Amino acid sequence: MGFFARATASFVFWELVLPRVGLRRLTQRTRSRRYKQIAGQFRAMAIRMGGVMIKVGQFLSARLDVLPVEITEELSGLQDEVPAEEFEAIRKLAEAELGAPLEEKFESFESQPLAAASLGQVHRARLRADAPEAEQFRDVVVKIQRPFIDQLIDVDFSALRRVGGWLMHYKPIRKRVDLPALIAELETTVHREIDYLSEGKNAETFRTNFAGRKRIHVPRVVWSQTTQRVLTLENVYAIKITDYDAITAAGIDRAEVAEVLSDTYLKQIFEDGFFHADPHPGNLFVTPIPATDSKQATWQLTFVDFGMVGVVPEDLRAGLRDMLIGIGTRNPTRVVEAYQTLGVLLPNADLKLVEQAESQLFDRFWGMSMGELRKVRHAEMGQFAMQFRELMYEMPFQLPHNLFLLGRTVGILSGMCTGLDPNFNPWNQLAPYAQKLVAEEGISNWEVWLDEIGDLVKELIGLPAQTARVLSRVERGELNVNVPQVNRQIYHLESAVNRLTGSVVFAAFLFGGVLLYRSGDITLGYIFWALSGLTLFWMLFLSRGHSPWR
């Protein structure tokens, strides 16, 4: 709790308070060092605590598309530096699950783990010759759950539920996300992840879904050596998907890998309704396939770890398809309709304003690669924010809990594709897939398309008359723009933004002081309370300004 309180207070102080008192350059000059320091502190805490905190760090480390490089580089070590469990404890658990010594179940078993993850660790082994699967393969990996991991998960989620309860007292969060439902869904997902029988079935489902795609490989399950806490799989470990130098050295085009990875997830989400929900770099490999006399050298994308999967019900898939079609065809109206279907918009959202913002986003950013998007000037983003200040202030969006796992997966995927190919262009992937869905939809829902075409024709017929009326009013000097009214609205918006900023700063210092006081940092807690008082004074008496239009 203390770490999150200090990190929040530090962000508020450096990024919100100091720039408002004329010290923006100091904030910018120290930003890189501060980000790296905070990320390093989080990494140390995650390694110390293990369990769910490591998963949070792995998620953040993959967000190369939105997070500063100082943070992603510092957290990337979490993929490899999770401390391994003592082998004797692992051996004891595995033998109790399998009902026999490891020497009786395997021809060989390496005591040094191949990989250590937050919930379990993986060891190389070799099947005995009399094993049912030995005719197909003998080299395997054995995934064994960490002892007492279920108790650790319960403790982590107990803390998360408490923090979620605190945050639900803050209205902007409460109206946009059902945190208790979101945390409950995540807890259910993590508990499923430590059921290795379920994971084995997930792997087989995924393997069946991609049986016709030669680029995708999924390990086979050794059911004779699998229990709820021990999972034995075909050994498919190869080049880690973030080992860019090794991928290039193997003669594999990284941009092509990014395209295949993206296309694979489009199929999972929009066709199968069943997706691999934990695509962090430790779970994806690029497997080179050497040339033979009859075939050229090629490669495969290999998925492992199917403990965390997501299921997309048909009604949710319909909303996602509408959104993809809207994005792929640059149709803002359809995007907003998809938002409504998915429950992403608050009930009082201004649909026309949201639609206008979507249209502007398409005009400004459509077709840009991820690298180009990251280089968009702050001034251009600021111009967009000024144009839609009312929308930015209201932020009429909410996060339905049934979209959390999918959103997390898409976020990680975006970062991984950007890491493979800095010029990765999501539009090149989305547009053809959207056109494919449009073609399929055109066959099954042609009546809907006829209605839409009819509406469009009506608008086009009425357009000349409307244009003539507007031009006539311009010629007669009857078309006026009430600038004072606009300025008055802008002033009220500025006042509202000032009050909102002051409220956030005040709440951060107040709650930060409470958390620090309870964690033993009494002096720092008093300092934070004093700062909250100063912020409240500024908000009440100094931030109002005077309007020339009152």
Side-chain angles (χ1 to χ4, degrees), residues 55 58 115-122 141 143 192-196 198-200 202-203 206 217-219 231 233-234 236-237 265 275-280 282-285 302-309:
K55 284 198 165 292
Q58 290 173 339
S118 56
L119 307 181
Q121 60 191 52
V122 177
V141 293
K143 183 177 177 181
R192 286 196 194 118
E193 193 173 357
I194 58 175
D195 180 356
Y196 288 173
S198 176
E199 180 176 343
N202 292 337
F206 195 90
H217 186 57
V218 179
L231 176 62
L233 299 162
E234 173 189 8
V236 294
Y237 275 68
Y265 269 91
F275 62 95
H276 184 290
D278 199 17
H280 71 74
N283 291 339
L284 283 164
F285 301 93
T302 301
F303 287 79
V304 301
D305 196 344
F306 294 88
M308 187 179 290
V309 297

Short mmCIF file of all heavy atoms in Angstrom, two decimals, residues 55 58 115-122 141 143 192-196 198-200 202-203 206 217-219 231 233-234 236-237 265 275-280 282-285 302-309:
data_model
loop_
_atom_site.label_atom_id
_atom_site.label_comp_id
_atom_site.label_asym_id
_atom_site.label_seq_id
_atom_site.Cartn_x
_atom_site.Cartn_y
_atom_site.Cartn_z
N LYS A 55 2.50 -10.58 -12.27
CA LYS A 55 1.68 -10.53 -13.48
C LYS A 55 1.38 -9.08 -13.88
O LYS A 55 1.37 -8.76 -15.07
CB LYS A 55 0.38 -11.30 -13.26
CG LYS A 55 0.57 -12.81 -13.29
CD LYS A 55 -0.73 -13.53 -13.51
CE LYS A 55 -0.48 -14.97 -13.91
NZ LYS A 55 0.14 -15.07 -15.23
N GLN A 58 4.54 -7.79 -15.53
CA GLN A 58 4.73 -8.36 -16.86
C GLN A 58 3.80 -7.69 -17.87
O GLN A 58 4.18 -7.45 -19.02
CB GLN A 58 4.49 -9.87 -16.82
CG GLN A 58 5.58 -10.63 -16.08
CD GLN A 58 5.25 -12.09 -15.88
OE1 GLN A 58 4.09 -12.50 -15.95
NE2 GLN A 58 6.26 -12.90 -15.65
N ALA A 115 12.33 -22.34 -16.66
CA ALA A 115 11.72 -21.02 -16.48
C ALA A 115 10.97 -21.01 -15.16
O ALA A 115 10.40 -22.03 -14.75
CB ALA A 115 10.77 -20.69 -17.63
N ALA A 116 10.99 -19.86 -14.49
CA ALA A 116 10.23 -19.69 -13.24
C ALA A 116 9.23 -18.58 -13.45
O ALA A 116 9.60 -17.47 -13.85
CB ALA A 116 11.17 -19.36 -12.09
N ALA A 117 7.96 -18.88 -13.23
CA ALA A 117 6.90 -17.89 -13.41
C ALA A 117 6.29 -17.54 -12.06
O ALA A 117 6.71 -18.08 -11.01
CB ALA A 117 5.84 -18.43 -14.36
N SER A 118 5.30 -16.68 -12.08
CA SER A 118 4.72 -16.19 -10.83
C SER A 118 3.93 -17.27 -10.10
O SER A 118 3.86 -17.26 -8.87
CB SER A 118 3.82 -14.99 -11.11
OG SER A 118 2.84 -15.32 -12.07
N LEU A 119 3.32 -18.20 -10.84
CA LEU A 119 2.46 -19.21 -10.22
C LEU A 119 3.06 -20.60 -10.22
O LEU A 119 2.61 -21.48 -9.47
CB LEU A 119 1.10 -19.25 -10.94
CG LEU A 119 0.36 -17.91 -11.06
CD1 LEU A 119 -0.97 -18.10 -11.76
CD2 LEU A 119 0.16 -17.28 -9.70
N GLY A 120 4.05 -20.84 -11.05
CA GLY A 120 4.67 -22.16 -11.12
C GLY A 120 6.01 -22.07 -11.81
O GLY A 120 6.47 -20.98 -12.18
N GLN A 121 6.67 -23.22 -12.01
CA GLN A 121 7.93 -23.22 -12.74
C GLN A 121 8.01 -24.46 -13.61
O GLN A 121 7.32 -25.45 -13.39
CB GLN A 121 9.13 -23.11 -11.82
CG GLN A 121 9.31 -24.20 -10.80
CD GLN A 121 10.39 -23.83 -9.78
OE1 GLN A 121 10.36 -22.76 -9.17
NE2 GLN A 121 11.35 -24.73 -9.59
N VAL A 122 8.89 -24.38 -14.62
CA VAL A 122 8.95 -25.39 -15.67
C VAL A 122 10.31 -26.08 -15.66
O VAL A 122 11.34 -25.41 -15.56
CB VAL A 122 8.69 -24.74 -17.05
CG1 VAL A 122 8.82 -25.77 -18.16
CG2 VAL A 122 7.32 -24.09 -17.07
N VAL A 141 8.35 -30.79 -21.25
CA VAL A 141 8.54 -29.86 -20.13
C VAL A 141 7.45 -30.15 -19.11
O VAL A 141 6.31 -30.48 -19.48
CB VAL A 141 8.50 -28.39 -20.57
CG1 VAL A 141 9.68 -28.04 -21.45
CG2 VAL A 141 7.20 -28.06 -21.28
N LYS A 143 5.42 -28.58 -15.99
CA LYS A 143 5.06 -27.35 -15.28
C LYS A 143 4.49 -27.74 -13.92
O LYS A 143 3.50 -28.48 -13.84
CB LYS A 143 4.03 -26.58 -16.10
CG LYS A 143 3.62 -25.24 -15.52
CD LYS A 143 2.65 -24.54 -16.47
CE LYS A 143 2.16 -23.22 -15.90
NZ LYS A 143 1.21 -22.56 -16.82
N ARG A 192 -8.55 -20.11 -12.09
CA ARG A 192 -8.60 -21.09 -13.18
C ARG A 192 -7.19 -21.40 -13.69
O ARG A 192 -6.91 -22.52 -14.13
CB ARG A 192 -9.45 -20.55 -14.34
CG ARG A 192 -10.95 -20.56 -14.07
CD ARG A 192 -11.71 -20.40 -15.38
NE ARG A 192 -13.10 -20.07 -15.14
CZ ARG A 192 -13.69 -18.96 -15.52
NH1 ARG A 192 -13.00 -18.03 -16.17
NH2 ARG A 192 -14.96 -18.75 -15.26
N GLU A 193 -6.33 -20.38 -13.63
CA GLU A 193 -4.98 -20.55 -14.15
C GLU A 193 -4.16 -21.56 -13.35
O GLU A 193 -3.21 -22.13 -13.87
CB GLU A 193 -4.27 -19.18 -14.17
CG GLU A 193 -2.99 -19.17 -14.97
CD GLU A 193 -2.40 -17.78 -15.10
OE1 GLU A 193 -3.02 -16.82 -14.62
OE2 GLU A 193 -1.31 -17.67 -15.69
N ILE A 194 -4.51 -21.80 -12.09
CA ILE A 194 -3.76 -22.79 -11.31
C ILE A 194 -4.45 -24.16 -11.32
O ILE A 194 -4.08 -25.04 -10.55
CB ILE A 194 -3.56 -22.31 -9.85
CG1 ILE A 194 -4.89 -22.03 -9.17
CG2 ILE A 194 -2.67 -21.07 -9.82
CD1 ILE A 194 -4.74 -21.66 -7.69
N ASP A 195 -5.42 -24.33 -12.24
CA ASP A 195 -6.01 -25.64 -12.48
C ASP A 195 -5.40 -26.18 -13.77
O ASP A 195 -5.84 -25.83 -14.87
CB ASP A 195 -7.53 -25.51 -12.61
CG ASP A 195 -8.22 -26.86 -12.86
OD1 ASP A 195 -7.51 -27.88 -13.02
OD2 ASP A 195 -9.46 -26.89 -12.90
N TYR A 196 -4.38 -27.03 -13.66
CA TYR A 196 -3.64 -27.47 -14.83
C TYR A 196 -4.42 -28.44 -15.71
O TYR A 196 -4.12 -28.57 -16.90
CB TYR A 196 -2.30 -28.08 -14.40
CG TYR A 196 -1.29 -27.06 -13.89
CD1 TYR A 196 -0.09 -27.45 -13.33
CD2 TYR A 196 -1.55 -25.69 -13.99
CE1 TYR A 196 0.83 -26.53 -12.86
CE2 TYR A 196 -0.64 -24.76 -13.53
CZ TYR A 196 0.56 -25.18 -12.97
OH TYR A 196 1.47 -24.25 -12.53
N SER A 198 -7.56 -27.96 -16.46
CA SER A 198 -8.26 -27.01 -17.32
C SER A 198 -7.32 -26.40 -18.35
O SER A 198 -7.70 -26.23 -19.52
CB SER A 198 -8.88 -25.90 -16.45
OG SER A 198 -9.50 -24.92 -17.26
N GLU A 199 -6.08 -26.12 -17.96
CA GLU A 199 -5.11 -25.56 -18.90
C GLU A 199 -4.83 -26.53 -20.03
O GLU A 199 -4.69 -26.13 -21.19
CB GLU A 199 -3.81 -25.19 -18.18
CG GLU A 199 -2.77 -24.60 -19.11
CD GLU A 199 -1.51 -24.14 -18.39
OE1 GLU A 199 -1.55 -23.98 -17.16
OE2 GLU A 199 -0.49 -23.94 -19.09
N GLY A 200 -4.71 -27.82 -19.71
CA GLY A 200 -4.47 -28.81 -20.74
C GLY A 200 -5.60 -28.86 -21.76
O GLY A 200 -5.38 -28.94 -22.98
N ASN A 202 -7.61 -26.37 -22.44
CA ASN A 202 -7.52 -25.12 -23.21
C ASN A 202 -6.51 -25.24 -24.34
O ASN A 202 -6.75 -24.77 -25.46
CB ASN A 202 -7.14 -23.96 -22.31
CG ASN A 202 -8.21 -23.59 -21.31
OD1 ASN A 202 -9.39 -23.88 -21.51
ND2 ASN A 202 -7.82 -22.97 -20.21
N ALA A 203 -5.37 -25.86 -24.06
CA ALA A 203 -4.33 -26.04 -25.08
C ALA A 203 -4.86 -26.89 -26.23
O ALA A 203 -4.60 -26.60 -27.41
CB ALA A 203 -3.09 -26.69 -24.46
N PHE A 206 -7.26 -24.79 -28.35
CA PHE A 206 -6.51 -23.85 -29.17
C PHE A 206 -5.84 -24.58 -30.34
O PHE A 206 -5.84 -24.10 -31.48
CB PHE A 206 -5.45 -23.16 -28.31
CG PHE A 206 -4.85 -21.92 -28.93
CD1 PHE A 206 -5.42 -20.68 -28.72
CD2 PHE A 206 -3.72 -22.00 -29.72
CE1 PHE A 206 -4.87 -19.54 -29.28
CE2 PHE A 206 -3.16 -20.87 -30.28
CZ PHE A 206 -3.74 -19.63 -30.07
N HIS A 217 1.86 -23.14 -33.95
CA HIS A 217 2.16 -24.43 -33.31
C HIS A 217 1.78 -24.37 -31.83
O HIS A 217 2.00 -23.37 -31.16
CB HIS A 217 3.65 -24.76 -33.44
CG HIS A 217 4.00 -26.13 -32.93
ND1 HIS A 217 3.40 -27.27 -33.40
CD2 HIS A 217 4.87 -26.54 -31.97
CE1 HIS A 217 3.88 -28.33 -32.79
NE2 HIS A 217 4.78 -27.90 -31.90
N VAL A 218 1.19 -25.46 -31.34
CA VAL A 218 0.75 -25.56 -29.96
C VAL A 218 1.25 -26.89 -29.41
O VAL A 218 1.12 -27.93 -30.08
CB VAL A 218 -0.79 -25.50 -29.85
CG1 VAL A 218 -1.24 -25.63 -28.40
CG2 VAL A 218 -1.32 -24.21 -30.45
N PRO A 219 1.85 -26.92 -28.22
CA PRO A 219 2.38 -28.18 -27.68
C PRO A 219 1.27 -29.18 -27.37
O PRO A 219 0.16 -28.81 -26.98
CB PRO A 219 3.10 -27.74 -26.40
CG PRO A 219 2.44 -26.46 -26.01
CD PRO A 219 2.07 -25.79 -27.30
N LEU A 231 1.56 -30.29 -14.96
CA LEU A 231 1.18 -30.35 -16.37
C LEU A 231 2.41 -30.71 -17.20
O LEU A 231 3.43 -30.03 -17.13
CB LEU A 231 0.62 -28.99 -16.81
CG LEU A 231 0.27 -28.83 -18.29
CD1 LEU A 231 -0.84 -29.80 -18.69
CD2 LEU A 231 -0.16 -27.40 -18.59
N LEU A 233 3.94 -31.31 -20.99
CA LEU A 233 3.69 -30.91 -22.37
C LEU A 233 4.88 -31.25 -23.25
O LEU A 233 6.02 -31.35 -22.77
CB LEU A 233 3.44 -29.41 -22.46
CG LEU A 233 2.26 -28.82 -21.70
CD1 LEU A 233 2.44 -27.31 -21.55
CD2 LEU A 233 0.96 -29.12 -22.43
N GLU A 234 4.61 -31.38 -24.54
CA GLU A 234 5.67 -31.48 -25.54
C GLU A 234 6.60 -30.27 -25.41
O GLU A 234 6.15 -29.14 -25.25
CB GLU A 234 5.03 -31.52 -26.93
CG GLU A 234 5.99 -31.48 -28.07
CD GLU A 234 5.28 -31.29 -29.41
OE1 GLU A 234 4.05 -31.04 -29.40
OE2 GLU A 234 5.97 -31.38 -30.44
N VAL A 236 8.46 -27.39 -26.65
CA VAL A 236 8.42 -26.58 -27.87
C VAL A 236 9.21 -25.28 -27.70
O VAL A 236 9.08 -24.37 -28.51
CB VAL A 236 6.96 -26.26 -28.27
CG1 VAL A 236 6.21 -27.52 -28.66
CG2 VAL A 236 6.23 -25.53 -27.14
N TYR A 237 10.02 -25.18 -26.66
CA TYR A 237 10.74 -23.93 -26.40
C TYR A 237 11.69 -23.61 -27.55
O TYR A 237 12.40 -24.49 -28.05
CB TYR A 237 11.51 -24.02 -25.08
CG TYR A 237 10.64 -23.67 -23.89
CD1 TYR A 237 9.60 -24.50 -23.49
CD2 TYR A 237 10.85 -22.49 -23.17
CE1 TYR A 237 8.79 -24.19 -22.41
CE2 TYR A 237 10.04 -22.16 -22.10
CZ TYR A 237 9.01 -23.01 -21.72
OH TYR A 237 8.21 -22.68 -20.66
N TYR A 265 -4.60 -13.20 -33.51
CA TYR A 265 -5.53 -12.73 -32.49
C TYR A 265 -6.84 -12.23 -33.08
O TYR A 265 -7.90 -12.35 -32.45
CB TYR A 265 -4.87 -11.66 -31.61
CG TYR A 265 -4.20 -12.29 -30.42
CD1 TYR A 265 -2.88 -12.69 -30.47
CD2 TYR A 265 -4.92 -12.55 -29.26
CE1 TYR A 265 -2.27 -13.31 -29.39
CE2 TYR A 265 -4.33 -13.17 -28.18
CZ TYR A 265 -3.00 -13.54 -28.25
OH TYR A 265 -2.42 -14.17 -27.17
N PHE A 275 -9.68 -16.94 -26.81
CA PHE A 275 -8.36 -16.36 -27.06
C PHE A 275 -7.39 -16.60 -25.91
O PHE A 275 -7.78 -16.71 -24.75
CB PHE A 275 -8.48 -14.85 -27.34
CG PHE A 275 -9.03 -14.03 -26.21
CD1 PHE A 275 -8.20 -13.40 -25.30
CD2 PHE A 275 -10.41 -13.87 -26.06
CE1 PHE A 275 -8.71 -12.64 -24.26
CE2 PHE A 275 -10.93 -13.11 -25.02
CZ PHE A 275 -10.09 -12.48 -24.13
N HIS A 276 -6.12 -16.71 -26.28
CA HIS A 276 -5.01 -16.82 -25.34
C HIS A 276 -4.86 -15.45 -24.68
O HIS A 276 -4.54 -14.46 -25.33
CB HIS A 276 -3.75 -17.19 -26.12
CG HIS A 276 -2.53 -17.43 -25.29
ND1 HIS A 276 -1.87 -16.42 -24.63
CD2 HIS A 276 -1.85 -18.57 -24.99
CE1 HIS A 276 -0.82 -16.93 -23.98
NE2 HIS A 276 -0.79 -18.24 -24.19
N ALA A 277 -5.11 -15.39 -23.36
CA ALA A 277 -5.23 -14.10 -22.68
C ALA A 277 -3.97 -13.68 -21.93
O ALA A 277 -4.02 -12.69 -21.19
CB ALA A 277 -6.42 -14.13 -21.72
N ASP A 278 -2.88 -14.39 -22.11
CA ASP A 278 -1.64 -14.03 -21.39
C ASP A 278 -0.45 -14.07 -22.36
O ASP A 278 0.49 -14.84 -22.16
CB ASP A 278 -1.42 -15.00 -20.23
CG ASP A 278 -0.45 -14.45 -19.20
OD1 ASP A 278 -0.20 -13.23 -19.20
OD2 ASP A 278 0.08 -15.23 -18.39
N PRO A 279 -0.49 -13.22 -23.41
CA PRO A 279 0.56 -13.30 -24.44
C PRO A 279 1.82 -12.52 -24.08
O PRO A 279 2.35 -11.79 -24.91
CB PRO A 279 -0.14 -12.69 -25.65
CG PRO A 279 -1.04 -11.65 -25.06
CD PRO A 279 -1.51 -12.20 -23.74
N HIS A 280 2.30 -12.65 -22.83
CA HIS A 280 3.54 -11.93 -22.51
C HIS A 280 4.72 -12.66 -23.13
O HIS A 280 4.61 -13.83 -23.54
CB HIS A 280 3.68 -11.72 -21.00
CG HIS A 280 3.97 -12.96 -20.21
ND1 HIS A 280 5.20 -13.58 -20.21
CD2 HIS A 280 3.20 -13.68 -19.36
CE1 HIS A 280 5.17 -14.63 -19.41
NE2 HIS A 280 3.97 -14.72 -18.89
N GLY A 282 7.20 -14.37 -22.30
CA GLY A 282 7.60 -15.70 -21.86
C GLY A 282 6.71 -16.80 -22.37
O GLY A 282 7.02 -17.98 -22.23
N ASN A 283 5.59 -16.43 -23.00
CA ASN A 283 4.63 -17.43 -23.47
C ASN A 283 4.54 -17.55 -24.98
O ASN A 283 3.68 -18.26 -25.49
CB ASN A 283 3.23 -17.12 -22.92
CG ASN A 283 3.14 -17.32 -21.42
OD1 ASN A 283 3.94 -18.04 -20.83
ND2 ASN A 283 2.16 -16.69 -20.79
N LEU A 284 5.40 -16.84 -25.69
CA LEU A 284 5.38 -16.88 -27.15
C LEU A 284 6.79 -17.07 -27.69
O LEU A 284 7.74 -16.41 -27.24
CB LEU A 284 4.79 -15.59 -27.71
CG LEU A 284 3.26 -15.45 -27.65
CD1 LEU A 284 2.86 -14.01 -27.85
CD2 LEU A 284 2.61 -16.34 -28.67
N PHE A 285 6.92 -17.98 -28.65
CA PHE A 285 8.23 -18.28 -29.23
C PHE A 285 8.15 -18.28 -30.75
O PHE A 285 7.10 -18.55 -31.34
CB PHE A 285 8.74 -19.65 -28.77
CG PHE A 285 8.88 -19.78 -27.28
CD1 PHE A 285 7.84 -20.28 -26.51
CD2 PHE A 285 10.04 -19.36 -26.64
CE1 PHE A 285 7.96 -20.38 -25.14
CE2 PHE A 285 10.16 -19.46 -25.27
CZ PHE A 285 9.12 -19.97 -24.51
N THR A 302 4.85 -20.10 -31.90
CA THR A 302 4.50 -21.14 -30.93
C THR A 302 3.93 -20.50 -29.67
O THR A 302 4.55 -19.62 -29.07
CB THR A 302 5.73 -21.99 -30.57
OG1 THR A 302 6.24 -22.59 -31.77
CG2 THR A 302 5.37 -23.08 -29.59
N PHE A 303 2.74 -20.97 -29.28
CA PHE A 303 2.08 -20.51 -28.06
C PHE A 303 2.25 -21.53 -26.95
O PHE A 303 2.12 -22.74 -27.19
CB PHE A 303 0.57 -20.32 -28.31
CG PHE A 303 0.21 -19.13 -29.13
CD1 PHE A 303 0.33 -19.16 -30.52
CD2 PHE A 303 -0.28 -17.97 -28.55
CE1 PHE A 303 -0.01 -18.07 -31.29
CE2 PHE A 303 -0.63 -16.88 -29.31
CZ PHE A 303 -0.49 -16.92 -30.68
N VAL A 304 2.52 -21.05 -25.72
CA VAL A 304 2.51 -21.92 -24.55
C VAL A 304 1.72 -21.21 -23.44
O VAL A 304 1.41 -20.03 -23.55
CB VAL A 304 3.94 -22.26 -24.05
CG1 VAL A 304 4.74 -22.95 -25.14
CG2 VAL A 304 4.67 -21.01 -23.56
N ASP A 305 1.42 -21.96 -22.39
CA ASP A 305 0.74 -21.44 -21.20
C ASP A 305 -0.68 -20.98 -21.52
O ASP A 305 -0.94 -19.81 -21.83
CB ASP A 305 1.53 -20.29 -20.57
CG ASP A 305 1.05 -20.00 -19.14
OD1 ASP A 305 -0.04 -20.46 -18.80
OD2 ASP A 305 1.78 -19.33 -18.39
N PHE A 306 -1.62 -21.91 -21.41
CA PHE A 306 -3.02 -21.63 -21.69
C PHE A 306 -3.86 -21.59 -20.42
O PHE A 306 -5.06 -21.87 -20.45
CB PHE A 306 -3.58 -22.67 -22.67
CG PHE A 306 -2.94 -22.60 -24.03
CD1 PHE A 306 -1.77 -23.31 -24.31
CD2 PHE A 306 -3.48 -21.82 -25.02
CE1 PHE A 306 -1.17 -23.23 -25.55
CE2 PHE A 306 -2.89 -21.73 -26.27
CZ PHE A 306 -1.72 -22.44 -26.54
N GLY A 307 -3.23 -21.23 -19.31
CA GLY A 307 -3.96 -21.13 -18.06
C GLY A 307 -4.93 -19.97 -18.06
O GLY A 307 -6.02 -20.05 -17.51
N MET A 308 -4.53 -18.85 -18.69
CA MET A 308 -5.38 -17.67 -18.75
C MET A 308 -5.92 -17.53 -20.17
O MET A 308 -5.19 -17.15 -21.09
CB MET A 308 -4.60 -16.42 -18.33
CG MET A 308 -5.48 -15.18 -18.21
SD MET A 308 -4.57 -13.70 -17.67
CE MET A 308 -4.22 -14.13 -15.97
N VAL A 309 -7.18 -17.88 -20.34
CA VAL A 309 -7.83 -17.74 -21.64
C VAL A 309 -9.11 -16.94 -21.46
O VAL A 309 -9.64 -16.81 -20.36
CB VAL A 309 -8.16 -19.12 -22.27
CG1 VAL A 309 -6.90 -19.91 -22.54
CG2 VAL A 309 -9.13 -19.90 -21.40
#
